[in-house]
Amino acid sequence: MIGRARIWGFAVALAALTPVFAAPAVADSCTKLSSLVLPEVISITATSIAADSFTPSGLTTPVPVAFCRVQITVTPAINIEVWLPPAANWNHRFQAEGGGGYAGVISYSALVMAVTGDAVTGQFATASTDTGHPATGTANGQGGANDAQAGGGFALNPADDTLNEGLIVDFASRSLHEMTLKAKAVIRAYYSKPQNYSYWNGCSTGGRQGWVEAQMFPEDYDGILAGAPAFNWDRFIPAELWPELALAWIIDDAVDHAVESIARLATSTHIRWYAGDLARQLMVLVSIAQKPMRYSRSGAVHAAHMESSCGTDSNRAHPLPA
């Protein structure tokens, strides 16, 4: 009979040789989060930010509070930022921030609002993603390159203008879920415990993203604020474009010269990146519209898209149940 001591020794040795697939070890400081190993993450950097020492891109004033800034890249190119207030100030909640338009950037203004909080809400752990592509555009001049406005050109392969299905899926849904999973893992590692509640906050594209999360990943969030959700892109974006086209035709008084008319108007309209390229952009819109949420479980979704409702008041971090 094998003695208990020998059995115990064998078990200890076996455990030492067995890979461990548990959650990442708890990090005892901000910078140690850089050593976390998370699925599909190809880069992670954590930096401790002092109050009033960091001004995010696109903003003019520094973040007024101290926080831990975690920058993550998920394969192939989904950039995520997770901001964590000090444990003593944390309200034990996670608030994710949606994007706008075709995304392509981190929603820094929303991150600042959430991590700063106020006397009622406290300070949230918060996160945002660029959804897997840059707003600066692609080599074929679409999506922001060559002085064009940011648009859907990121979804086209520059060589032949075919659709890049991977980037479209990342934009439509995958990046949102990946951001949520990574942010929650970072929160658990930093605070040694998970958040009590998780919330989604977004408007326009951010509203659509909230509906996608609710339908595809219902376990991700306890509450969702989805303002002016931008559904059915293949309908409402062409509807927004049509008045510009009609105006161009009227001014030029000839349909044959519509493209030239649009080009002349481009400096004062939001359709500059459409000029002379409507067909392939609509192809992108149709594909995007079919990937994310287009129908609810109860039937077709009909929603008005009202940018005016996406102001500061509708996106503030509302007080929620403890």
Side-chain angles (χ1 to χ4, degrees), residues 62-140:
V63 183
V65 297
F67 66 99
C68 177
R69 182 190 186 192
V70 184
Q71 297 167 277
I72 299 171
T73 301
V74 173
T75 182
I78 299 172
N79 292 306
I80 299 165
E81 290 208 20
V82 184
W83 290 12
L84 308 164
N89 301 337
W90 184 38
N91 64 7
H92 304 283
R93 297 165 181 165
F94 164 52
Q95 180 169 291
E97 306 295 346
Y102 288 90
V105 295
I106 301 293
S107 299
Y108 284 119
S109 59
L111 291 181
V112 172
M113 183 177 292
V115 80
T116 301
D118 56 37
V120 177
T121 67
Q123 294 177 240
F124 290 87
T126 185
S128 174
T129 176
D130 67 358
T131 72
H133 66 275
T136 52
T138 56
N140 63 356

Coordinates of all heavy atoms in Angstrom, one line a residue, residues 62-140:
P62 N -6.8 68.8 -18.8 CA -6.4 67.5 -18.2 C -7.4 66.8 -17.4 O -8.4 67.4 -16.9 CB -5.2 67.9 -17.4 CG -5.4 69.3 -17.0 CD -6.2 69.9 -18.2
V63 N -7.3 65.5 -17.2 CA -8.2 64.8 -16.4 C -8.0 65.2 -14.9 O -6.8 65.2 -14.4 CB -7.9 63.3 -16.5 CG1 -9.0 62.5 -15.7 CG2 -8.0 62.8 -17.9
P64 N -9.0 65.6 -14.2 CA -8.8 66.3 -12.9 C -8.6 65.3 -11.8 O -8.3 65.7 -10.6 CB -10.1 67.0 -12.7 CG -11.1 66.2 -13.4 CD -10.4 65.7 -14.6
V65 N -8.6 64.0 -12.0 CA -8.5 63.0 -10.9 C -7.3 62.0 -11.3 O -7.0 61.8 -12.5 CB -9.8 62.2 -10.7 CG1 -10.9 63.2 -10.2 CG2 -10.2 61.4 -11.9
A66 N -6.8 61.4 -10.3 CA -5.8 60.3 -10.5 C -6.5 59.0 -10.9 O -7.6 58.7 -10.5 CB -5.0 60.1 -9.2
F67 N -5.8 58.2 -11.8 CA -6.4 57.0 -12.2 C -5.3 56.1 -12.8 O -4.2 56.6 -13.1 CB -7.6 57.2 -13.2 CG -7.1 57.7 -14.5 CD1 -6.9 56.9 -15.6 CD2 -7.0 59.1 -14.7 CE1 -6.5 57.5 -16.9 CE2 -6.6 59.6 -15.9 CZ -6.4 58.8 -17.0
C68 N -5.7 54.8 -13.0 CA -4.8 53.9 -13.6 C -5.3 53.7 -15.1 O -6.4 53.3 -15.3 CB -4.8 52.5 -12.9 SG -3.8 51.3 -13.7
R69 N -4.4 54.0 -16.0 CA -4.8 53.9 -17.4 C -4.2 52.6 -18.0 O -3.0 52.4 -18.0 CB -4.2 55.1 -18.2 CG -4.6 55.1 -19.7 CD -3.8 56.2 -20.4 NE -4.2 56.3 -21.8 CZ -3.5 57.0 -22.7 NH1 -2.4 57.6 -22.4 NH2 -3.9 57.1 -24.0
V70 N -5.1 51.7 -18.5 CA -4.7 50.5 -19.1 C -5.0 50.5 -20.6 O -6.2 50.6 -20.9 CB -5.4 49.3 -18.4 CG1 -4.9 48.0 -18.9 CG2 -5.1 49.3 -16.9
Q71 N -4.0 50.3 -21.4 CA -4.2 50.3 -22.9 C -4.0 48.9 -23.4 O -3.0 48.3 -23.1 CB -3.2 51.3 -23.5 CG -3.4 52.7 -23.1 CD -2.2 53.6 -23.5 OE1 -1.2 53.7 -22.8 NE2 -2.4 54.3 -24.6
I72 N -5.0 48.4 -24.1 CA -5.0 47.0 -24.5 C -5.3 46.9 -26.0 O -6.1 47.7 -26.5 CB -6.1 46.2 -23.8 CG1 -5.9 46.2 -22.3 CG2 -6.2 44.8 -24.3 CD1 -7.1 45.7 -21.5
T73 N -4.6 46.0 -26.7 CA -4.9 45.7 -28.1 C -5.2 44.3 -28.2 O -4.4 43.4 -27.9 CB -3.7 46.1 -29.0 OG1 -3.3 47.4 -28.9 CG2 -4.0 45.8 -30.5
V74 N -6.4 44.0 -28.8 CA -6.9 42.7 -29.0 C -6.7 42.4 -30.5 O -7.0 43.2 -31.3 CB -8.4 42.5 -28.6 CG1 -8.9 41.2 -29.0 CG2 -8.5 42.7 -27.1
T75 N -6.3 41.2 -30.8 CA -6.0 40.8 -32.2 C -7.3 41.0 -33.1 O -8.4 40.7 -32.6 CB -5.5 39.4 -32.3 OG1 -5.3 39.1 -33.7 CG2 -6.5 38.4 -31.8
P76 N -7.3 41.5 -34.3 CA -6.1 42.0 -35.0 C -5.7 43.4 -34.6 O -4.5 43.7 -34.6 CB -6.4 41.8 -36.4 CG -7.9 42.1 -36.5 CD -8.4 41.5 -35.2
A77 N -6.7 44.3 -34.3 CA -6.3 45.7 -34.1 C -7.4 46.4 -33.3 O -7.6 47.6 -33.5 CB -6.1 46.4 -35.4
I78 N -8.0 45.7 -32.3 CA -9.0 46.4 -31.5 C -8.3 47.0 -30.3 O -7.8 46.4 -29.5 CB -10.0 45.3 -31.0 CG1 -10.8 44.7 -32.2 CG2 -11.0 46.0 -30.1 CD1 -11.6 43.5 -31.8
N79 N -8.3 48.4 -30.3 CA -7.7 49.1 -29.2 C -8.8 49.4 -28.2 O -9.9 49.9 -28.5 CB -7.1 50.4 -29.8 CG -5.9 50.1 -30.6 OD1 -5.0 49.4 -30.2 ND2 -5.9 50.6 -31.8
I80 N -8.4 49.2 -26.9 CA -9.3 49.4 -25.8 C -8.5 50.1 -24.7 O -7.3 49.9 -24.5 CB -9.7 48.0 -25.2 CG1 -10.4 47.2 -26.2 CG2 -10.5 48.1 -23.9 CD1 -10.6 45.7 -25.9
E81 N -9.2 51.0 -24.0 CA -8.7 51.7 -22.8 C -9.6 51.4 -21.6 O -10.8 51.6 -21.7 CB -8.4 53.2 -23.0 CG -7.3 53.5 -24.0 CD -6.6 54.8 -23.8 OE1 -6.7 55.3 -22.6 OE2 -6.0 55.3 -24.7
V82 N -9.0 51.0 -20.5 CA -9.7 50.8 -19.3 C -9.1 51.8 -18.2 O -7.9 51.8 -18.0 CB -9.6 49.4 -18.7 CG1 -10.4 49.2 -17.5 CG2 -9.9 48.4 -19.8
W83 N -10.0 52.6 -17.7 CA -9.5 53.6 -16.7 C -10.1 53.2 -15.3 O -11.3 53.0 -15.2 CB -10.0 55.0 -17.0 CG -9.3 55.6 -18.2 CD1 -8.5 55.0 -19.1 CD2 -9.3 57.0 -18.7 NE1 -8.0 55.8 -20.1 CE2 -8.5 57.1 -19.9 CE3 -10.0 58.1 -18.2 CZ2 -8.4 58.3 -20.5 CZ3 -9.8 59.3 -18.9 CH2 -9.0 59.4 -20.1
L84 N -9.2 53.2 -14.3 CA -9.5 52.7 -13.0 C -9.2 53.8 -11.9 O -8.0 54.2 -11.7 CB -8.7 51.5 -12.7 CG -8.8 50.3 -13.7 CD1 -7.7 49.3 -13.5 CD2 -10.1 49.7 -13.7
P85 N -10.2 54.3 -11.2 CA -9.9 55.2 -10.1 C -9.3 54.5 -8.9 O -9.4 53.2 -8.8 CB -11.3 55.7 -9.7 CG -12.2 54.6 -10.1 CD -11.6 54.0 -11.3
P86 N -8.7 55.2 -8.0 CA -8.1 54.5 -6.8 C -9.2 53.7 -6.1 O -10.3 54.1 -6.1 CB -7.6 55.7 -6.0 CG -7.4 56.8 -7.0 CD -8.4 56.6 -8.0
A87 N -8.8 52.6 -5.5 CA -9.7 51.8 -4.8 C -10.6 52.5 -3.7 O -11.8 52.2 -3.6 CB -9.0 50.6 -4.1
A88 N -9.9 53.5 -3.1 CA -10.7 54.2 -2.0 C -11.8 55.1 -2.6 O -12.7 55.4 -1.9 CB -9.7 55.1 -1.2
N89 N -11.7 55.4 -3.9 CA -12.7 56.3 -4.5 C -13.7 55.6 -5.4 O -14.6 56.2 -5.9 CB -12.0 57.4 -5.3 CG -11.1 58.2 -4.5 OD1 -11.2 58.3 -3.3 ND2 -10.1 58.9 -5.1
W90 N -13.4 54.3 -5.7 CA -14.2 53.5 -6.6 C -15.6 53.3 -6.1 O -15.8 52.9 -4.9 CB -13.5 52.2 -6.9 CG -14.2 51.4 -8.0 CD1 -14.8 51.8 -9.1 CD2 -14.3 49.9 -7.9 NE1 -15.2 50.7 -9.8 CE2 -15.0 49.5 -9.1 CE3 -13.8 48.9 -7.0 CZ2 -15.2 48.2 -9.4 CZ3 -14.1 47.6 -7.3 CH2 -14.8 47.2 -8.5
N91 N -16.6 53.4 -6.9 CA -18.0 53.2 -6.5 C -18.4 51.7 -6.7 O -19.6 51.4 -6.6 CB -19.0 54.1 -7.2 CG -19.0 53.9 -8.8 OD1 -18.4 53.0 -9.3 ND2 -19.7 54.8 -9.5
H92 N -17.5 50.9 -7.0 CA -17.7 49.4 -7.2 C -18.6 49.1 -8.4 O -19.2 48.1 -8.5 CB -18.3 48.8 -5.9 CG -17.5 49.1 -4.7 ND1 -16.3 48.4 -4.5 CD2 -17.6 50.0 -3.7 CE1 -15.8 48.8 -3.3 NE2 -16.6 49.8 -2.9
R93 N -18.5 50.0 -9.4 CA -19.3 49.8 -10.6 C -18.4 50.0 -11.9 O -17.4 50.8 -11.8 CB -20.5 50.8 -10.7 CG -21.5 50.6 -9.6 CD -22.4 51.8 -9.5 NE -23.3 51.7 -8.4 CZ -24.0 52.7 -7.9 NH1 -23.9 53.9 -8.3 NH2 -24.9 52.4 -6.9
F94 N -18.8 49.3 -12.9 CA -18.1 49.4 -14.2 C -19.1 50.1 -15.2 O -20.2 49.6 -15.4 CB -17.7 48.1 -14.7 CG -17.3 48.0 -16.2 CD1 -16.4 48.9 -16.7 CD2 -17.8 47.1 -17.0 CE1 -16.0 48.9 -18.0 CE2 -17.5 47.0 -18.3 CZ -16.6 47.9 -18.9
Q95 N -18.6 51.1 -15.9 CA -19.4 51.8 -16.9 C -18.7 51.8 -18.2 O -17.6 52.5 -18.3 CB -19.8 53.2 -16.5 CG -20.7 53.9 -17.6 CD -21.3 55.2 -17.1 OE1 -22.2 55.2 -16.2 NE2 -20.8 56.3 -17.5
A96 N -19.2 51.1 -19.2 CA -18.6 51.1 -20.6 C -19.1 52.3 -21.4 O -20.3 52.6 -21.2 CB -18.8 49.8 -21.3
E97 N -18.3 52.8 -22.3 CA -18.7 54.0 -23.0 C -18.7 53.7 -24.5 O -17.7 53.1 -25.1 CB -17.7 55.1 -22.8 CG -17.5 55.5 -21.3 CD -18.7 56.1 -20.7 OE1 -19.7 56.4 -21.4 OE2 -18.8 56.1 -19.4
G98 N -19.9 53.9 -25.2 CA -20.0 53.7 -26.6 C -19.3 54.7 -27.5 O -18.9 55.8 -27.0
G99 N -19.3 54.4 -28.7 CA -18.7 55.4 -29.7 C -19.7 56.1 -30.5 O -20.9 56.1 -30.2
G100 N -19.3 56.8 -31.6 CA -20.1 57.6 -32.4 C -19.7 57.4 -33.9 O -18.6 57.1 -34.2
G101 N -20.7 57.6 -34.8 CA -20.4 57.5 -36.2 C -19.8 56.1 -36.5 O -20.3 55.1 -36.1
Y102 N -18.7 56.1 -37.3 CA -18.0 54.9 -37.6 C -16.9 54.5 -36.6 O -16.1 53.7 -36.8 CB -17.3 55.0 -39.0 CG -18.3 55.0 -40.1 CD1 -18.8 56.2 -40.6 CD2 -18.7 53.8 -40.8 CE1 -19.7 56.2 -41.7 CE2 -19.5 53.8 -41.8 CZ -20.1 55.0 -42.3 OH -20.9 55.0 -43.3
A103 N -17.0 55.2 -35.4 CA -16.0 55.0 -34.3 C -14.6 55.3 -34.8 O -14.4 56.3 -35.5 CB -16.2 53.6 -33.8
G104 N -13.6 54.4 -34.5 CA -12.3 54.6 -35.0 C -11.4 55.4 -33.9 O -10.2 55.6 -34.1
V105 N -12.1 55.8 -32.8 CA -11.3 56.5 -31.8 C -11.9 56.0 -30.4 O -13.0 55.5 -30.3 CB -11.5 58.0 -31.9 CG1 -10.9 58.5 -33.1 CG2 -13.0 58.4 -31.8
I106 N -11.0 56.2 -29.4 CA -11.5 56.0 -28.0 C -12.3 57.2 -27.6 O -12.0 58.3 -27.9 CB -10.3 55.9 -27.1 CG1 -9.4 54.7 -27.5 CG2 -10.7 55.7 -25.6 CD1 -10.0 53.4 -27.4
S107 N -13.4 56.9 -26.9 CA -14.3 58.0 -26.4 C -13.8 58.7 -25.1 O -14.3 58.4 -24.0 CB -15.7 57.4 -26.2 OG -16.3 56.9 -27.3
Y108 N -12.7 59.5 -25.3 CA -12.0 60.0 -24.2 C -12.9 60.9 -23.3 O -12.8 60.9 -22.1 CB -10.8 60.8 -24.6 CG -9.7 59.9 -25.0 CD1 -9.1 59.9 -26.3 CD2 -9.1 59.0 -24.1 CE1 -8.1 59.1 -26.7 CE2 -8.0 58.2 -24.5 CZ -7.5 58.3 -25.8 OH -6.5 57.4 -26.1
S109 N -13.8 61.8 -23.9 CA -14.6 62.7 -23.1 C -15.5 61.9 -22.2 O -15.7 62.3 -21.0 CB -15.4 63.6 -24.0 OG -16.2 62.9 -24.9
A110 N -16.1 60.8 -22.7 CA -16.9 60.0 -21.8 C -16.1 59.3 -20.8 O -16.6 59.1 -19.6 CB -17.6 58.9 -22.7
L111 N -14.9 58.8 -21.1 CA -14.1 58.2 -20.0 C -13.8 59.2 -18.9 O -13.8 58.8 -17.7 CB -12.8 57.7 -20.7 CG -12.9 56.5 -21.6 CD1 -11.5 56.1 -22.1 CD2 -13.5 55.3 -20.9
V112 N -13.5 60.4 -19.3 CA -13.2 61.4 -18.3 C -14.4 61.6 -17.4 O -14.2 61.7 -16.1 CB -12.8 62.8 -19.0 CG1 -12.6 63.9 -17.9 CG2 -11.4 62.6 -19.7
M113 N -15.5 61.8 -18.0 CA -16.7 62.0 -17.2 C -17.0 60.8 -16.2 O -17.3 61.0 -15.0 CB -18.0 62.2 -18.1 CG -19.2 62.5 -17.3 SD -20.6 62.8 -18.4 CE -20.1 64.3 -19.2
A114 N -16.8 59.6 -16.7 CA -17.1 58.4 -15.8 C -16.1 58.3 -14.7 O -16.4 58.0 -13.6 CB -17.1 57.2 -16.7
V115 N -14.8 58.4 -15.0 CA -13.8 58.2 -14.0 C -13.7 59.3 -13.0 O -13.3 59.1 -11.9 CB -12.4 58.0 -14.7 CG1 -11.7 59.3 -15.1 CG2 -11.4 57.2 -13.7
T116 N -14.1 60.5 -13.4 CA -14.2 61.7 -12.5 C -15.4 61.6 -11.6 O -15.3 61.8 -10.4 CB -14.2 63.0 -13.3 OG1 -13.1 63.1 -14.1 CG2 -14.3 64.2 -12.4
G117 N -16.6 61.2 -12.2 CA -17.8 61.1 -11.4 C -18.2 62.4 -10.8 O -17.8 63.5 -11.2
D118 N -19.0 62.3 -9.7 CA -19.4 63.5 -8.9 C -19.9 63.0 -7.6 O -19.7 61.8 -7.2 CB -20.5 64.3 -9.6 CG -21.8 63.4 -9.9 OD1 -22.1 62.5 -9.1 OD2 -22.4 63.6 -11.0
A119 N -20.4 63.9 -6.8 CA -20.7 63.6 -5.4 C -21.8 62.6 -5.3 O -22.0 61.9 -4.3 CB -21.1 64.9 -4.6
V120 N -22.7 62.5 -6.3 CA -23.8 61.5 -6.3 C -23.4 60.2 -6.8 O -23.7 59.1 -6.2 CB -25.0 62.1 -7.2 CG1 -26.1 61.1 -7.2 CG2 -25.4 63.4 -6.6
T121 N -22.7 60.1 -8.0 CA -22.4 58.8 -8.6 C -21.2 58.2 -8.1 O -21.0 57.0 -8.1 CB -22.2 59.0 -10.1 OG1 -21.0 59.8 -10.4 CG2 -23.4 59.7 -10.8
G122 N -20.2 59.0 -7.6 CA -18.9 58.4 -7.3 C -18.1 58.2 -8.6 O -18.6 58.6 -9.7
Q123 N -17.0 57.6 -8.5 CA -16.1 57.4 -9.6 C -16.2 55.9 -10.2 O -16.1 55.0 -9.4 CB -14.6 57.7 -9.2 CG -14.4 59.1 -8.9 CD -13.0 59.4 -8.5 OE1 -12.7 59.8 -7.3 NE2 -12.0 59.1 -9.3
F124 N -16.5 55.8 -11.5 CA -16.6 54.6 -12.1 C -15.3 54.0 -12.6 O -14.4 54.8 -13.1 CB -17.5 54.7 -13.3 CG -19.0 54.9 -13.0 CD1 -19.5 56.2 -12.8 CD2 -19.9 53.8 -12.9 CE1 -20.8 56.4 -12.6 CE2 -21.2 54.1 -12.7 CZ -21.7 55.3 -12.5
A125 N -15.1 52.7 -12.6 CA -14.2 52.1 -13.5 C -14.8 52.1 -14.9 O -16.0 51.8 -15.0 CB -13.9 50.6 -13.1
T126 N -14.1 52.4 -15.9 CA -14.7 52.7 -17.2 C -13.8 52.2 -18.4 O -12.6 52.0 -18.2 CB -15.0 54.2 -17.4 OG1 -15.8 54.4 -18.6 CG2 -13.8 55.0 -17.4
A127 N -14.4 52.0 -19.6 CA -13.7 51.5 -20.7 C -14.3 52.0 -22.0 O -15.5 52.3 -22.1 CB -13.6 50.0 -20.7
S128 N -13.5 52.0 -23.1 CA -13.9 52.4 -24.4 C -13.1 51.7 -25.4 O -11.9 51.3 -25.1 CB -13.9 53.9 -24.6 OG -14.2 54.3 -25.9
T129 N -13.6 51.5 -26.6 CA -12.8 50.9 -27.7 C -13.0 51.7 -29.0 O -14.0 52.3 -29.3 CB -13.3 49.4 -27.9 OG1 -12.6 48.9 -29.1 CG2 -14.8 49.4 -28.2
D130 N -12.0 51.6 -29.9 CA -12.1 52.2 -31.2 C -12.7 51.2 -32.2 O -12.9 51.6 -33.4 CB -10.7 52.6 -31.7 CG -9.7 51.4 -32.0 OD1 -10.1 50.3 -31.8 OD2 -8.6 51.7 -32.5
T131 N -13.2 50.1 -31.8 CA -13.9 49.0 -32.5 C -13.0 48.3 -33.6 O -13.6 47.6 -34.4 CB -15.2 49.5 -33.1 OG1 -14.9 50.4 -34.2 CG2 -16.1 50.2 -32.1
G132 N -11.7 48.6 -33.6 CA -10.9 47.8 -34.4 C -10.3 48.4 -35.7 O -9.7 47.7 -36.5
H133 N -10.5 49.7 -35.8 CA -9.9 50.4 -37.0 C -9.7 51.9 -36.6 O -10.3 52.4 -35.7 CB -10.9 50.3 -38.1 CG -12.2 51.1 -37.9 ND1 -13.2 50.6 -37.3 CD2 -12.5 52.4 -38.2 CE1 -14.2 51.5 -37.2 NE2 -13.8 52.6 -37.8
P134 N -8.7 52.5 -37.3 CA -8.4 53.9 -37.1 C -9.4 54.8 -37.8 O -9.8 54.5 -38.9 CB -7.0 54.1 -37.6 CG -6.9 53.1 -38.7 CD -7.8 51.9 -38.3
A135 N -9.6 56.0 -37.3 CA -10.5 57.0 -38.0 C -9.7 57.7 -39.1 O -10.4 58.4 -39.9 CB -11.0 58.0 -37.0
T136 N -8.4 57.5 -39.2 CA -7.6 58.2 -40.2 C -7.8 57.7 -41.6 O -7.3 58.3 -42.5 CB -6.2 58.2 -39.8 OG1 -5.8 56.8 -39.5 CG2 -5.9 59.0 -38.6
G137 N -8.4 56.5 -41.8 CA -8.7 56.1 -43.1 C -7.8 55.1 -43.7 O -6.9 54.6 -43.0
T138 N -8.0 54.7 -45.0 CA -7.3 53.7 -45.6 C -6.5 54.3 -46.8 O -6.8 55.4 -47.3 CB -8.2 52.6 -46.1 OG1 -9.2 53.2 -46.9 CG2 -8.9 51.9 -44.9
A139 N -5.7 53.5 -47.4 CA -4.8 53.9 -48.5 C -5.6 54.4 -49.8 O -5.1 55.1 -50.6 CB -3.8 52.8 -48.9
N140 N -6.8 53.9 -49.9 CA -7.5 54.2 -51.2 C -8.3 55.5 -51.0 O -9.1 55.8 -51.9 CB -8.5 53.1 -51.6 CG -9.6 52.8 -50.5 OD1 -9.6 53.4 -49.5 ND2 -10.5 51.9 -50.8

